[in-house]
Amino acid sequence: MSVWFNPSHAIDQILRQVASETEGFNADFEPGVRPADPKFGDYQANGVLGFAKRNKANPRELGQKLIEAAQASGQFDPELVELSLAGPGFINFKLSPKFIWDWQLAFSTKADYQSGAKELKNGRKVIIDYPSANTAKQAHIGHLRPMVIGQAISRLLDFCGADLVRDNHIGDWGTNFGTLIMKIKRDGIDLSNLGDNALVTLDQLYKDGSALETEQPELRDVSRNELVLLQNGDAENTAIWEQIVEISKVAFDKLFAQMGVEVDITLGESFYRDKVNRIYDELTEIGLAEESDGALVVWHDEVKKFARNNERPYPFNIRKSDGASNYASTDLATVLYRVEEFKAEEIIYLTDARQQDHFQQLFLTTEKWFKAKGYPLPEMSHVFWGTILGSDKKPFKTKSGESIKLQELLDEARSRAYDVVSEKNPDLPEDERRAIAESVGVGAMKYADLSSNRTQDYVFSWDRLLSFEGNTAPYLLYAVARINSIFRKVGVDPEATIEGASPLETEAEMGLARKLMGFVTALELTINDLRPHFLCTYLYELTSAYSTFYNADKVMVDDAAVKARRLILCARTRTVLKTGLELLGIQPLERM
Ligand code: ARG
């Protein structure tokens, strides 16, 4: 046997196969392999317990039988892994120091890690719906999290072998266009002439338009009429709308480039405008949707949480009483399109926590509808998050109480990072300090966002996120830069094969080597829960294990074999850290 990249997965597969040929087991058996408490071993299979209970068998006897069959199968080399029965019927797996060392030799590059990780998603067709902002509005701090969390999850899914489509489902068909077009026409504004700050102007025009409607309520009818004209394909309004969408796209593309956001397709709400009638028809035909006060709605009476004051739960409104489509109808049409057009097996939506009800209703409706029609139901999940808070623990705003523009935040990140870098390393040439600040500033902001559990609120603090201590991007980036400097000093290429190493000996070496192997488990955890903070925590712990090793064991020693093996550990730490940072959307640096 050779070492497995992902031991828990390999052990699971082998146990399944061995059990299928062992008396007393059947297809109902799930090995249940997971990382173990280090006191007992590296991995533990606890599936025998539940299986024995269900089948009224003795778990320890069954466990012993499985161990013997597994050993007899020759798939567990006793030099590499030790099996033992424990407690009421657990099976423990302990990897030998030889396994851990062989693993370091067998997997060394990002490509090696990726080829091992790709079985986690195994070619699954996944659509990720992000960052999906609304058009005609400037990006503000509320757009940070979808961009940051969305790109990290996208990169992770891609790395783990998903067949991914990143779909930017922009909100380009809302009622705000009525007001905007009313104001634009009234003032005779030429949208082709707005220059660099076109989106700022549009933002202002909308605000002024709404204010005008408050002053002169009769203008609301004018706006409504402009919207109806647009929805019916009126040439003039369509041309204005197209310009607005284009202006938004240009502005967002500029932000995407700075944020490292990549999307594959941009099919906004407007794309589905001719696809919603089929939704109304099908949902009515199967008896799921019904008219209510002129609107078309779907009731999910079994879900009590949609009820207020013990009344009947409120329904999912899929067509407005004036006949217009809405957020729900376009989302239903979008699910169908993704399944029919892309054969989506999984769809992941990213928005803030306020849209939880919408997505629960959307998922329920889709389930019932697809079941009735016999359509293949994709797995759907809503990745949501909490609020970014200021130091006063209230939503982070400017001093005057306005929302902070995303571009201003990015500019400030760069300039603060430049100051920090200049203070730490005043001798570096100015342009290099600028380049470092670019990666550190934006990276630190991203990392602060990703490293806290996304469902919780977090406090935004420049000092904390730019600190070189603690679970921060600068701390991790600096660790990579320090390892690079070791390799520069010894004149060795960290990516080249290092020959002549002796096997691991010291406790700190073993500790670091085990932690390096934990990369796979961290990826799996992150992907399963779609929570990037698991990967952040892992990278932070890896860096700490590296520091412990580096402080305990000198790398530059005379014994060439010892030096070689320690350099191998440095090289692996560098690769895992770099790979992890890249997956989070953070650019590692040669030096800092
Ligand atoms: N445009 C929406 C917003 O800004 C988010 C869209 C999320 N995606 C979706 N398919 N509903 O709130």
Side-chain angles (χ1 to χ4, degrees), residues 129 132 134 169 171 327 331 349 351 355 359:
D129 180 314
S132 307
N134 295 333
H169 186 84
Y327 194 49
D331 255 340
Y349 297 86
T351 77
Q355 294 195 32
F359 284 104

Side-chain angles (χ1 to χ4, degrees), residues 502-516:
S502 51
L504 305 174
E505 268 171 27
T506 72
E507 205 176 307
E509 289 170 351
M510 283 301 294
L512 176 56
R514 271 179 199 280
K515 200 74 213 172
L516 285 163

Side-chain angles (χ1 to χ4, degrees), residues 18 117 177 184 313 371 390 392 396 423 440 466 519 570 586:
V18 169
F177 284 102
I184 288 167
K371 201 168 160 213
D392 57 359
F396 194 29
E423 194 189 302
V440 172
L466 284 170
F519 185 43
C570 293
I586 298 166

Side-chain angles (χ1 to χ4, degrees), residues 298-315:
V298 178
W299 299 94
H300 296 293
D301 278 329
E302 74 280 19
V303 186
K304 297 286 172 268
K305 86 165 277 247
F306 300 133
R308 297 187 182 104
N309 311 326
N310 278 333
E311 288 164 6
R312 188 180 186 192
Y314 58 86

